[in-house]
Structures are given as C-alpha cells and as structure tokens.
Amino acid sequence: MTISWTVRREPLQITRWVAGGTALAAAAALTLVSAAPAHAYPQGTCRGNSFRKVADYTLTKGAKGGEVYGTVTLYHSSLTRRKCAITRVASAYVGRTSYLYVALFADKNRNKKYDGPDIGVADGSTRYKWFAGPVYAYADQLCVRFGGAIRIGSQPIVHGGTPEGAWEYCG
C-alpha cells in the first residue's frame, strides 16, 4: 500500500494524537491504581459513622517469636450507646486463615466479674479469611472485655485482647 507524502501527514498527526491520548489514559489509569489502598481486601466495619476506635490489641499470644497474626479492635458509639469489636488478620496472612474469632463481654451488673446478667457476644468461623465480626453490645457506661483469635493453617491458635480477667474501657 503506497501513500503519498501529503496524505501521510494527517494520519501521522492523528496517530500522534491517539498515542498521546493513549499515554494520557494510561497515566490516568496508573494514577487511579496507585491511589488504591495497599491492601484492597475487606476489613469489616461497625455499622454507622458514629463508632470511634477505643482500643487495639495485637494477636500475638501463642505465636512463634512474637509474630503479629492480626489485631482485635474495640469501637464505641455514644450515639447508639453500643460497643463493637472486630478481629482482623494481618496482611501477611490474608487468605491463609483456618479460623477467625472475636468476642465482646459487657459487665451489666457492674461488679467486674463475669457472672449474673453479664452479656457476651462472639463470632467465629473457619470460613472467615479477612475478619471476624463485628459483634455489638449495649455497653454505654459499662466496662467491657474483648478479644480475638486467629489460626493460620494447622498452626496453634494465636489470641489477644484485654488482659485475662480485666474489665476495661468503662464509658
């Protein structure tokens, strides 16, 4: 196919524009990709924007060499008068979990012992791969205990949370 010089100029200009447009689109796509979070997997959230983080504990008890397998986080909403807890797996172990668990206990009788009308809510499953929970308890002005656990493959369960027997985050 032979094209004369005068006809070739317009296609070259159009080709340059298309290439420029393609480069611009590629740059925009890269910008969008780089704006994405470093770990784009579900993290679990407490329903509603009124929840604020109260405490975070790493899940290291039972881990070899103090490795951090994940975290368990406590949130509080003064609007709904509830507390919420979620266990999340560390990014290095996403998809490798064989069990995830979260628990939240509220000291309903205000004696800082687990007895009587105290309530506990828990959520755990072998199907969870990214997070367990959220679990909720009406606990405004009440002390709570919370914790989480993770098992990676056939490794022993690693856990963490408020110290055993401690009722904290009263408010």
Side-chain angles (χ1 to χ4, degrees):
M1 177 168 157
T2 344
I3 301 174
S4 69
W5 178 258
T6 50
V7 175
R8 218 185 303 164
R9 283 188 185 174
E10 286 183 35
L12 284 176
Q13 288 174 352
I14 291 172
T15 304
R16 283 186 195 139
W17 179 81
V18 170
T22 304
L24 185 59
L30 286 174
T31 303
L32 290 175
V33 169
S34 63
H39 42 75
Y41 51 86
Q43 284 295 303
T45 57
C46 301
R47 279 172 268 156
N49 347 350
S50 62
F51 281 94
R52 301 291 176 248
K53 187 192 303 189
V54 174
D56 231 0
Y57 286 97
T58 57
L59 304 178
T60 57
K61 293 177 187 163
K64 294 179 183 175
E67 259 185 274
V68 176
Y69 280 50
T71 58
V72 60
T73 307
L74 177 69
Y75 298 88
H76 175 76
S77 169
S78 52
L79 181 66
T80 64
R81 300 183 317 162
R82 295 189 304 167
K83 289 189 170 89
C84 166
I86 301 172
T87 296
R88 296 180 180 94
V89 67
S91 59
Y93 300 107
V94 168
R96 296 175 44 202
T97 61
S98 58
Y99 184 74
L100 278 168
Y101 172 82
V102 64
L104 173 62
F105 302 95
D107 186 21
K108 286 284 191 180
N109 56 6
R110 300 174 191 262
N111 67 356
K112 295 192 178 182
K113 295 179 185 173
Y114 189 74
D115 58 359
D118 293 337
I119 61 163
V121 289
D123 184 23
S125 175
T126 56
R127 293 173 300 163
Y128 297 155
K129 300 299 177 198
W130 298 280
F131 63 93
V135 291
Y136 300 89
Y138 286 98
D140 196 35
Q141 303 303 313
L142 298 177
C143 301
V144 296
R145 290 171 41 189
F146 69 102
I150 293 178
R151 172 177 274 159
I152 305 298
S154 60
Q155 300 285 329
I157 289 182
V158 174
H159 58 94
T162 50
E164 189 64 36
W167 291 91
E168 298 181 349
Y169 310 104
C170 311

